[in-house]
Amino acid sequence: MSVIYDRVALIGLGLIAGSMAHAMREAGLAREITGFARSEATRQTAREIGLCDRVCDSAAEAVEAADLIVLAVPVGAMGEVAAEIAPHLKPGATLTDVGSVKQAVIEAVAPHIPAGVHFIPGHPLAGTEHSGPRSGFAGLFRNRWWLLTPLPDSDADAVARLSDLVRAIGAKTDRMDPAHHDLVLAVTSHAPHLIAYTMVGVADHLRRVTDEEVIQYSAAGFRDFTRIAASDPTMWRDVFLHNREATLDILGRFTEELFMLQRAIRMGDGQQLFDYFTRTRAIRRGIIEAGQDTEAPDFGRAPGVTKPA
Amino acid sequence: MSVIYDRVALIGLGLIAGSMAHAMREAGLAREITGFARSEATRQTAREIGLCDRVCDSAAEAVEAADLIVLAVPVGAMGEVAAEIAPHLKPGATLTDVGSVKQAVIEAVAPHIPAGVHFIPGHPLAGTEHSGPRSGFAGLFRNRWWLLTPLPDSDADAVARLSDLVRAIGAKTDRMDPAHHDLVLAVTSHAPHLIAYTMVGVADHLRRVTDEEVIQYSAAGFRDFTRIAASDPTMWRDVFLHNREATLDILGRFTEELFMLQRAIRMGDGQQLFDYFTRTRAIRRGIIEAGQDTEAPDFGRAPGVTKPA
């Protein structure tokens, strides 16, 4: 693989930026990778594990002479960081972000970007429930989608080059309208996360009633919710606050639907429940066919448990 | 390992019974395993893959002379099956079930059980999103809990012997009061499943709006919900109808909690969201410490993706 950007600056050194660093190094996609994180502890860890070629003590220093700048901070911090680095951006450079929300990031970042710098918003649909500079790994993006939401005046060559990087990292890429992105992600990610957080919160109350048994006997279902609900609190707070309308819209639909099923349970309407559950099963099939998950029986996961072929 | 029951009869040949058959054979825990399933197709498949030593064409025939009878049918079918086999049960035999709900099963089954037969209700907290006679595997119960909810007059020796079998199959076992079981499981399993079904249903509506993108770009969060919501529709219909009160109670608490978080989003109360998400993260920690899940970053799962040590 050949170098795609001479110098890449990563602003924020968590799971996504860290995984990008590993992946770009593994494939030799950048000549130098600089990094900056607001927290001194994070910078220290990044230096210890050699995450970047150079960890800088200011964002301004990190972006100096960079050809690609990646904003990998919580959505709510994007605007401030953009304002801070704007005067130090090299003409002709490309600036992208990896935020889970696109409209709010564009509104916060775009006004700061000087003419001659290409701002191309993006969102890798990849992650784990872990966070921080030690959580990254080169394979995170392999076979995952990395959506780009270019602006109407985005430079075509700059978009193509960023797409090349994304593909070289192992991801599949597609372009989407920012507002549409925010709706699709509200359904596939944001609302499910809030729901998982909520269910785990309910269990937390009941933990006292049940004398820790809720944790002890945590079964498939709840166990998967806790995994989701272990995701980074700052990141998710910002996602909900910045994709407010779409998330509330989906949650409204969710509640209506839940009430209908609750009523079916109360009324003993087994047919309605059965029909509903049969429909949802088909969706799972679609996701496996789309390559977004595997068919391996994950509920049975435990050390040493494998299904015979 | 030595034989624990001479003859074991499995009534219902789905994921749980099939996995029991594999596990008992692997460890040589039964001299003969008979099986019955209501569906001719299931019996045919079970014969083809040699799931049991003998697949019978009636439940009565299957339980003939059996020392242990396992009811592994949907919760709503337990009473009828119990009535059918009751006249054919051998005095001194043990009858257990693997239903996800205990009070309703006890009410439905116990009245049919003749004196001299030991009815010991049970519930293995194990499963995958797959079902049917081909879905079983010997390792399903390894390291999982298998709760027993003996009745006040249950024979201590019979309970001890069944516990031996459960442990020999690889599970951990504990005893619980049936009503308490139903509450704990409503929190850890039943309510989360209904919520997952609901969210996937909402996505199904939006699939048309978003032109299949909801499936195409299914991210962590939703993807995990679809896995849960792919579980067997009949089994889950029966669970909700038969653990109605506890499930509705938990769903009521869930809705209250969700409304509070929705309000925080609407009002832009980031502190409340952050605090809530920080608390739920701690619960995940508890589940990993209790050995109910592993710390491996599951969200990144994809063929060939592993995290370097």
Side-chain angles (χ1 to χ4, degrees), chain A residues 81-200:
Chain A
V81 171
E84 197 179 328
I85 61 171
H88 309 280
L89 296 173
K90 184 170 92 170
T94 291
L95 175 77
T96 190
D97 76 293
V98 297
S100 307
V101 175
K102 297 276 54 88
Q103 287 180 109
V105 169
I106 292 168
E107 278 164 33
V109 170
H112 300 293
I113 306 307
V117 169
H118 309 296
F119 174 40
I120 307 167
H123 179 206
L125 307 189
T128 76
E129 67 275 34
H130 298 302
S131 47
R134 291 186 192 275
S135 62
F137 55 104
L140 178 63
F141 308 109
R142 208 169 295 154
N143 237 350
R144 303 284 102 207
W145 284 100
W146 193 311
L147 301 175
L148 297 179
T149 62
L151 308 181
D153 60 349
S154 284
D155 179 74
D157 289 346
V159 174
R161 195 170 165 199
L162 182 58
S163 302
D164 286 346
L165 179 77
V166 164
R167 277 189 294 262
I169 277 176
K172 302 177 283 186
T173 182
D174 209 347
R175 297 179 195 182
M176 208 183 260
D177 167 72
H180 191 67
H181 167 278
D182 290 354
L183 174 65
V184 170
L185 268 289
V187 183
T188 60
S189 174
H190 306 168
H193 268 81
L194 194 76
I195 288 163
Y197 277 122
T198 305
M199 188 63 226
V200 175

Side-chain angles (χ1 to χ4, degrees), chain B residues 45-104:
Chain B
T45 303
R47 284 189 185 111
E48 274 168 37
I49 63 175
L51 193 62
C52 309
D53 297 306
R54 201 152 46 83
V55 175
C56 306
D57 283 321
S58 78
E61 190 191 335
V63 304
E64 194 83 48
D67 302 290
L68 174 70
I69 301 93
V70 181
L71 302 186
V73 299
V75 166
M78 296 277 186
E80 200 185 324
V81 170
E84 197 179 328
I85 61 171
H88 308 279
L89 297 173
K90 183 170 92 170
T94 291
L95 175 77
T96 189
D97 76 293
V98 297
S100 307
V101 175
K102 297 275 54 87
Q103 286 181 110

Side-chain angles (χ1 to χ4, degrees), chain A residues 270-288:
Chain A
Q271 191 61 48
Q272 187 177 8
L273 295 173
F274 181 83
D275 292 346
Y276 200 92
F277 302 163
T278 303
R279 274 204 305 280
T280 58
R281 207 176 209 193
I283 301 226
R284 174 73 187 165
R285 176 67 25 210
I287 284 175
I288 291 169

